[in-house]
Amino acid sequence: CKRCVLRMDHHCPWANNCVGHENYKAFVLFLFYTTLAGVHASVLIVARIIAFVRRRESLLEANTAGMALVIVFILILLPTVVSVASLLTWHGYLIMKNATTIEHMESARWQYVKKTPWRSVYNINW
């Protein structure tokens, strides 16, 4: 994005903005409230399914459009909630480690480089 940001964490393509020192709290709160809303919607959908099962209606008597909508919500909502909750968990871990995503990835890369056997072609072992 060609911007210098203090303590840059990552560039968010959906918001077209860099997440850094100034807006990291807003980003984490967005993840938290999105996860909370997704869990709330999931609970409501599960309650609807339980009510449907308790009535023991046949599929012909049931509101098939309503149940189709519930199934579509399940297919879209569950992967989304799991993904956003995973991202929230990841950033919670980074907050506890006092690191950014970039810092964590760089440290992981350098730990890998340290472990790999590497010899300089200019080293003649003097």
Side-chain angles (χ1 to χ4, degrees):
C1 65
K2 298 179 182 168
R3 290 186 216 159
C4 292
V5 190
L6 182 63
R7 195 166 165 80
M8 179 177 170
D9 187 77
H10 66 279
H11 177 79
C12 182
W14 293 280
N16 193 23
N17 198 4
C18 289
V19 175
H21 179 73
E22 295 294 322
N23 59 357
Y24 191 69
K25 178 183 175 184
F27 173 72
V28 172
L29 285 174
F30 168 74
L31 292 178
F32 175 74
Y33 289 128
T34 304
T35 303
L36 192 65
V39 168
H40 180 260
S42 299
V43 168
L44 293 177
I45 289 173
V46 167
R48 170 120 172 137
I49 292 172
I50 290 172
F52 176 75
V53 170
R54 283 191 180 161
R55 281 184 280 169
R56 294 183 183 170
E57 295 177 356
S58 68
L59 287 177
L60 296 175
E61 296 171 355
N63 180 2
T64 53
M67 284 314 291
L69 187 62
V70 166
I71 291 171
V72 168
F73 274 136
I74 289 172
L75 292 177
I76 293 172
L77 187 64
L78 288 179
T80 304
V81 169
V82 168
S83 300
V84 174
S86 300
L87 191 59
L88 177 63
T89 305
W90 168 250
H91 279 279
Y93 168 78
L94 288 176
I95 289 171
M96 288 189 289
K97 292 290 185 178
N98 193 24
T100 64
T101 303
I102 294 173
E103 291 169 349
H104 185 270
M105 294 302 171
E106 287 292 319
S107 70
R109 184 176 68 140
W110 283 109
Q111 287 174 3
Y112 171 76
V113 169
K114 287 179 190 176
K115 291 178 184 177
T116 56
W118 179 78
R119 260 186 82 185
S120 172
V121 293
Y122 300 108
N123 185 0
I124 56 174
N125 293 324
W126 283 4

